[in-house]
Structures are given as C-alpha cells and as structure tokens.
Amino acid sequence: MAKGMIPSRSSFFSTDRIPQTLLRGQQGWGRSNALENGPQLKWVAYICVSVLCLQALLGTVDADPVLASSLGFCKNVPVLKGAPLHCCLPAPKRTPIRFKFPLINRNLAGRLFLRERKPAHVVQKDPEYVRKYNLAYARMKALPDTDPRSFLNQWRVHCSFCNEAFKQRKTPGPLGPETGVPLQVHYSWKFLPWHRIYLYYHERILASLINDPTFALPFWNWDNQLDQDAAMIPAMFLPNFSVPNAALFDEFRNPNHMPPKILHLGYNSKLEAEGKQNLTDKQIRYENLCVMYNQVATKISARDFLGGPYVVGTDNSAATVNVSAGEVPGESGGMENAHNVAHEWTGLINDPNHPDNEDMGNFIYAARDPIFYSHHSNVDRLWDVWKTIPDKVTKSGSRKRMDYTSRDFLDTEFTFYDENQDMVIVKVRDSLDSSKLGYKFTDVSKSDNMWIYYEPMPPHQSSGPSNSSDYPAAAPSGYNYIGTDPVSFRLDRRAPTSEDAGQSGVKNVDQLQENVVLEKVKIPHSEYARFDVFINYPAANRQTHLYMSEYVGTFTHLPSGMVDMSKSVSESSSNSDEEFRIVTIRYSVNAALKRLGITDYNTDIVVTIVSKGARNTGPKTGFTFSNLKQDFQ
C-alpha cells in the first residue's frame, strides 16, 4: 500500500475490522452445527446466514449512502461577477483517520463537562469572551493558505461541499472511486448533520488556537422574539464595539439591516426595494413566530424537518430526474428553509455592484462571514429543540419526533479537517447526539415556547371550503406555472390508509402528518426563490401577513451550485437545463386544517402559492412544477 493512502475496500471489510466476539460467534455456529446436525447442506445454510448477518451489520445490504470527501476531483465554482472561485481544499499530510467521539471529563458531581454555546446577544456583554472570540478568529485568519485550519480553507469547506465542487464516491473512504455525480449537502436529509460536524471541527480549531478547551461558539438566537435584541445582528460583529473585534467584522452585510432592525423571517427583497415592506417591529415578531411555528413545530416527521432522502446517484444540481432509475429530486426540510431567510436578510441584496448577494446571501460566499458560524450554531440548536417538542400535530398526539433510522442516512460519509490538521472520515450517525460531541446550549426555552405554542390569528371569513370547485386542479406530470402573481389550485384529498402508516413507519393512521406537496419545481441555480403557501385563502398576495391561520409555510432557495454562470443572471430568459435544479416542496397542513374547521378528508381545499421572486426586479419568467398532491408522512 502506498504511503499516505487509506486501506482499500477489501481492507475496510476484512475481519480485522469486525468485532472479535462476532468472529468467535461465526466460528462457533459453523462447528457446532456441523457436529450436531451432520448434513453438510445445513452447515452451508448456517454459514450463509452468518454472512448475511455480517453484511447487515456492516451496512452493505440494501444501503446506498452517499460517500464523499474533498480528495480527487474538484472543480472551480462559477459566480455571477468575476472569475470562477477556487474552493478546493489542500491534500492531507497524513493518512485520513476515522472519527472518534471526544473524551468528555466529569465534574466533582459526576456530571459530564460540556462546552456551552451561549446566545450571542447575552455573551457579547462579557468582554473577556469577546476578546477570546476575536483572538481565535484573528489567529485563524493569520494561518497560511496551505493550512486546512485557516479561515480561507474553512470558507472553502462550505464553498466546495455546498456548490457541487466534488463528486460522490462509490466505496467508503476518501479515495474510493467517484460516481461522476456532483455532491451537494443542501436540499436533503444531510443538511443538518453535515453542518453540525462542520461547526464541531470549526469550533475545536478555534479553541485550540487560543489554547482554551472550554471555548464554544455563540449562537445567534434570531428565532427569539422575547428578548428585544436577540433577533438583531449581534453588536459584537459590528464596528465601534466596546471591545476590539476586527476579526469578527465582515464588510459584505446589508447596511439596511443593522440594529435596531430585527431579522424578518417573512422578508421579501422585492417588496423592500419597492418600499412596500413597511411592517412594525410587533408585526415582524408575529410573522417570525408564525414562520418558526410552521417550519419547525408543525414538522413532526424526519422528512418534513430534516429534508428528503439523498442516496448515491442523486444529482441535486440536475434539471431532470429519472424516477425509474431511483433518482429523487432535492427536498429541503423545514429547518433549512427557515435558515435560508437569515442568509438572504444578512447578505447584500438589491445592490447592482454585488449580483452574487455576498457574503451571507449566497452559499458560495456565506462562510466568509464569521456570523455564518453563529447563525448555524442556532440552526444546530434548533435541531436539538425539535426533538423535544410535544406532538400537537397528529390526531393521536403521541408521535415522537425522531431522526431517520435508515442506513442510507446513518452511513452517509464525509471528510473534515480537525484541529490537528488530520483529515477525519465522519458518518452521519456520529452527529446525532450533540452531548456526545461534547457541547450543549444555554436553555432559552422561554423564547422557544413562544413559537412552539404559537396560535395564529383566526381564519378570514372568506377562507371557507365551499369555493374549491372554482379552481383548477394541477395537471399531473404536466406544465403547471407559478408566475409573479399568486396562483390557486384545487387539491383533492383522501383519508389516510394503513399502507400510508406502514410506509411512514408509524403504528396507525392517527399518527400521520398530512402534507401538501409541490413536486419537481424547476428553479434556476442562480436565483433566490420564495414560495409562501396558504390554504383556502385565494386572496393571498405578496403583502398578506403570515401570522394567520391560512398560512402553512415557506420554501426558500438560495443561489448555489451554479453550473455555468456566464448567462445565468436574474434577468435572464435563457432556459438551458444546465441552469436549473429540481426540488420537491412539502407543506405540513394538519394544524391549519384543524384551525380552519376542516375535519373531513373528503373536503377538498384550495392551495394558493405566492411567489415572492428574486432580487429587486427579476425573475421575468416564473417557475414550473409537475404536480400538486396530498401526502402523508
């Protein structure tokens, strides 16, 4: 084996990687049954059973997890303005290693000592913390470009993995053969796990640079509508702070969204540019609560919250999807869609000198801003919070929120550099428990409960079910159009069946979540897109408030993963397939239907889609989708 290379696939699955107790069991099965039963055929049968057991334990049966690393093929990432960016990472100096959970000390009371991530608006009042935080980034930014821990390379991690610079691999390990299919860590179930491990190593690198193992990133608590300054850009990231903080500053932030402005999860850049987004802070906070309620609290299934499956061969950058070949379109979860708005709101927008909406407003540039990591620290926290939210969604009221248990999910594999400059091979299964990773979050449950138990405004009188026949149904596998004006469709509904329950892995139909699904929406890579959806309120438009019973959620798309940006601008009328991706969008409607008094599954509903477009003028053309349907999870 060449120096610096990892073992081959045969080495990964050789007996020295299998627990010895399992090997002893296998040998025992073979001998005892041969002696006791005699017939050779029966002995062979037991050996076959043993092999199948080994395969199952190793995750090789019916499993197609995505395997990825930053080694091998890497392409530059095109942008709207300027030359393509080099986002590739340096090669490891040593043989890549497998992930191991950190050793966690216990205090005198026997409790685990966990690093504590605290709210940014609180911890910025601690001058000593801000000094350490700033020093850590100053030292990270001073590292040479050849060091994978440098701030430049920390940005490149996100730029490359989030913009299809790498290829998926066929076999485990960072040097496995490539599939030829681009790798993308958004638009699916890998979004939250990948970003958690990314922050885990980013945080450990910062801590090592200041020699403080207790250091933890802050979280920008933008979902907090209780504390007045929680949803503002934290002051410690801005100029003229009371403590030196130059390393935390980024010049490419929206000057119109500085404190005392609060982050608006109902934000629409077109309305802002037209001077029509004139909400009071109280109205913004109500909208923020309702968006969080619909994007997190009403999402009870893993698919609805984390996103859809992503297996080997899935190309989330493609404009076509071959369903018969097992391909699935991209499918963001509720958390990813909410998080996108914070990106867009923070980055430069409506600025012709910055068509890429940098830094935070574009996945290519986002990680150049230190606030990115604080933003994602909150996203990471909300994953933990989601698992604790009681079931107020299904009829049973007893369904527990859980991550996926599929091997395709658990054995998805990525590589990151650690604080020792070693490349580490990490699986999604390693990311599911933040306490095992050695950190926790300050309890802010008082503010969380405001959106978890939020009650939207009463329904409009005009939102009754009687007018559904006045609207067309979407054409299955047809051309369905979402233009600049709101569009309404009739949706025929049915009662859930035991087959629906079985496919979703729940005990009975009363534990199912009902969804409205937009299938195969075609969206340009380079554009920000937003669709707000309302039930039985066809009068909804771009200025309709979101803190109402008929609103059921939002889909957002940030510019990312552009294949060829030379003609793909927001005003473009080009229809080249290379400029588009296909996504499926889910809106959870159990709670809304109950508020609207719709308890009969035979009652059809009207689904109104409000497109809020991109930037201050485009797009001139709208979006198409293949079908609108009811679904159960």
Side-chain angles (χ1 to χ4, degrees):
M1 183 182 300
K3 184 178 181 180
M5 305 295 276
I6 66 166
S8 64
R9 180 181 175 91
S10 60
S11 298
F12 273 110
F13 292 96
S14 63
T15 55
D16 65 345
R17 295 182 60 83
I18 303 171
Q20 291 300 307
T21 54
L22 187 57
L23 284 177
R24 287 195 294 271
Q26 181 189 7
Q27 294 163 355
W29 297 333
R31 283 198 301 271
S32 63
N33 281 289
L35 292 172
E36 293 171 13
N37 301 310
Q40 188 176 12
L41 185 61
K42 203 161 190 176
W43 181 85
V44 171
Y46 274 92
I47 290 295
C48 290
V49 169
S50 302
V51 171
L52 289 173
C53 289
L54 286 173
Q55 286 181 323
L57 288 169
L58 291 171
T60 59
V61 177
D62 297 328
D64 290 305
V66 169
L67 309 166
S69 82
S70 60
L71 294 181
F73 173 88
C74 180
K75 73 175 181 68
N76 288 342
V77 177
V79 292
L80 278 172
K81 185 176 181 179
L85 299 177
H86 175 77
C87 293
C88 305
L89 296 166
K93 299 176 181 178
R94 295 177 287 274
T95 303
I97 59 177
R98 285 284 177 183
F99 174 83
K100 292 183 179 180
F101 286 106
L103 295 175
I104 304 173
N105 295 323
R106 293 182 181 272
N107 61 19
L108 295 177
R111 296 178 180 175
L112 292 176
F113 175 78
L114 302 175
R115 300 191 310 277
E116 183 174 353
R117 295 183 183 175
K118 300 178 180 180
H121 69 285
V122 174
V123 79
Q124 68 184 3
K125 298 172 185 176
D126 178 355
E128 183 59 29
Y129 175 84
V130 178
R131 289 189 186 97
K132 288 197 298 185
Y133 190 25
N134 183 70
L135 177 62
Y137 271 115
R139 289 181 175 175
M140 179 180 276
K141 291 181 177 183
L143 293 174
D145 296 350
T146 54
D147 190 324
R149 303 171 302 162
S150 71
F151 191 73
L152 176 69
N153 283 315
Q154 290 295 294
W155 159 66
R156 283 173 171 165
V157 172
H158 193 266
C159 176
S160 55
F161 275 98
C162 301
N163 291 283
E164 290 111 20
F166 304 130
K167 303 287 188 183
Q168 299 173 13
R169 297 186 179 277
K170 296 179 182 178
T171 56
L175 288 178
E178 293 162 353
T179 64
V181 178
L183 175 73
Q184 170 59 256
V185 298
H186 293 88
Y187 317 111
S188 76
W189 63 17
K190 65 200 170 303
F191 166 74
L192 287 170
W194 186 91
H195 283 84
R196 170 169 283 182
I197 297 297
Y198 178 32
L199 256 66
Y200 168 77
Y201 282 116
H202 185 81
E203 182 175 70
R204 289 175 68 89
I205 292 169
L206 290 171
S208 69
L209 291 173
I210 57 173
N211 195 29
D212 182 358
T214 68
F215 175 81
L217 287 165
F219 61 90
W220 179 15
N221 196 192
W222 42 259
D223 59 297
N224 180 343
Q225 308 306 311
L226 179 64
D227 299 328
Q228 184 176 2
D229 56 346
M232 299 176 190
I233 292 179
M236 66 179 170
F237 291 102
L238 302 175
N240 303 316
F241 192 64
S242 58
V243 176
N245 66 336
L248 304 178
F249 176 68
D250 183 79
E251 63 178 311
F252 299 112
R253 295 179 187 145
N254 195 323
N256 298 318
H257 295 163
M258 295 295 110
K261 292 289 184 66
I262 57 177
L263 191 155
H264 181 200
L265 294 176
Y267 174 66
N268 178 230
S269 61
K270 288 186 71 174
L271 286 177
E272 183 180 62
E274 296 164 4
K276 297 178 181 178
Q277 190 150 313
N278 299 315
L279 279 69
T280 65
D281 282 359
K282 185 176 181 179
Q283 289 174 317
I284 290 174
R285 292 189 187 280
Y286 278 140
E287 290 208 345
N288 288 349
L289 291 171
C290 203
V291 169
M292 287 299 298
Y293 169 74
N294 279 284
Q295 296 302 117
V296 180
T298 68
K299 308 286 188 184
I300 199 163
S301 75
R303 185 165 191 162
D304 286 276
F305 180 74
L306 276 81
Y310 183 68
V311 296
V312 169
T314 300
D315 185 355
N316 282 347
S317 68
T320 57
V321 178
N322 186 351
V323 177
S324 62
E327 296 179 8
V328 292
E331 189 178 312
S332 298
M335 189 66 257
E336 183 176 357
N337 285 317
H339 122 283
N340 284 349
V341 184
H343 272 279
E344 179 75 359
W345 185 86
T346 307
L348 289 171
I349 192 72
N350 297 332
D351 186 339
N353 294 320
H354 297 278
D356 287 302
N357 209 29
E358 62 264 35
D359 277 337
M360 278 283 283
N362 188 316
F363 288 150
I364 296 172
Y365 294 104
R368 297 196 309 189
D369 189 339
I371 203 174
F372 166 91
Y373 305 94
S374 183
H375 164 48
H376 269 276
S377 184
N378 194 46
V379 173
D380 192 35
R381 181 188 72 86
L382 290 167
W383 185 9
D384 281 356
V385 171
W386 173 76
K387 295 178 187 179
T388 69
I389 300 174
D391 178 8
K392 301 290 185 181
V393 178
T394 71
K395 287 185 177 181
S396 72
S398 62
R399 184 168 173 181
K400 184 179 179 181
R401 299 167 196 255
M402 299 173 60
D403 296 319
Y404 285 97
T405 57
S406 160
R407 280 194 208 101
D408 289 342
F409 174 70
L410 297 174
D411 289 333
T412 291
E413 184 179 276
F414 301 105
T415 58
F416 294 90
Y417 281 100
D418 68 7
E419 65 274 20
N420 301 312
Q421 303 186 57
D422 284 318
M423 177 178 279
V424 186
I425 306 164
V426 189
K427 292 181 180 291
V428 163
R429 67 170 68 247
D430 301 322
S431 73
L432 304 183
D433 186 339
S434 58
S435 66
K436 288 185 178 181
L437 296 174
Y439 66 90
K440 64 180 180 180
F441 297 92
T442 298
D443 182 3
V444 290
S445 55
K446 285 186 178 180
S447 60
D448 290 339
N449 287 339
M450 290 180 68
W451 54 260
I452 290 173
Y453 299 104
Y454 180 71
E455 290 290 340
M457 297 288 286
H460 289 73
Q461 290 183 351
S462 60
S463 63
S466 60
N467 59 350
S468 62
S469 60
D470 295 340
Y471 298 90
S477 302
Y479 179 87
N480 300 289
Y481 185 73
I482 305 171
T484 53
D485 294 325
V487 58
S488 299
F489 297 93
R490 184 184 76 254
L491 178 62
D492 300 329
R493 298 170 63 240
R494 64 169 177 84
T497 65
S498 57
E499 183 179 359
D500 294 321
Q503 290 176 348
S504 299
V506 298
K507 294 180 180 179
N508 56 67
V509 295
D510 287 343
Q511 290 184 315
L512 286 169
Q513 174 174 296
E514 183 176 355
N515 293 326
V516 168
V517 183
L518 280 173
E519 288 192 320
K520 298 180 185 177
V521 185
K522 191 174 182 180
I523 297 179
H525 289 272
S526 63
E527 289 181 7
Y528 179 82
R530 177 174 181 138
F531 305 131
D532 293 336
V533 168
F534 300 81
I535 298 295
N536 282 6
Y537 190 58
N541 56 58
R542 289 192 301 155
Q543 293 177 273
T544 298
H545 295 309
L546 303 185
Y547 47 81
M548 53 188 294
S549 290
E550 293 86 350
Y551 167 71
V552 293
T554 292
F555 166 81
T556 53
H557 174 268
L558 276 185
S560 64
M562 294 68 133
V563 178
D564 178 6
M565 295 291 287
S566 59
K567 297 180 180 179
S568 184
V569 298
S570 61
E571 304 299 323
S572 173
S573 60
S574 170
N575 288 312
S576 169
D577 272 353
E578 287 190 346
E579 297 173 9
F580 295 85
R581 75 170 77 251
I582 299 294
V583 298
T584 286
I585 309 170
R586 294 176 179 276
Y587 298 90
S588 306
V589 297
N590 289 54
L593 292 173
K594 183 178 180 180
R595 290 194 302 270
L596 296 176
I598 302 173
T599 57
D600 185 353
Y601 283 109
N602 293 321
T603 302
D604 299 336
I605 58 176
V606 177
V607 178
T608 298
I609 306 164
V610 180
S611 173
K612 292 189 173 177
R615 297 192 169 95
N616 59 348
T617 51
K620 289 182 177 178
T621 58
F623 306 90
T624 61
F625 65 98
S626 69
N627 196 14
L628 174 70
K629 70 176 188 179
Q630 177 198 37
D631 177 76
F632 295 98
Q633 289 295 318

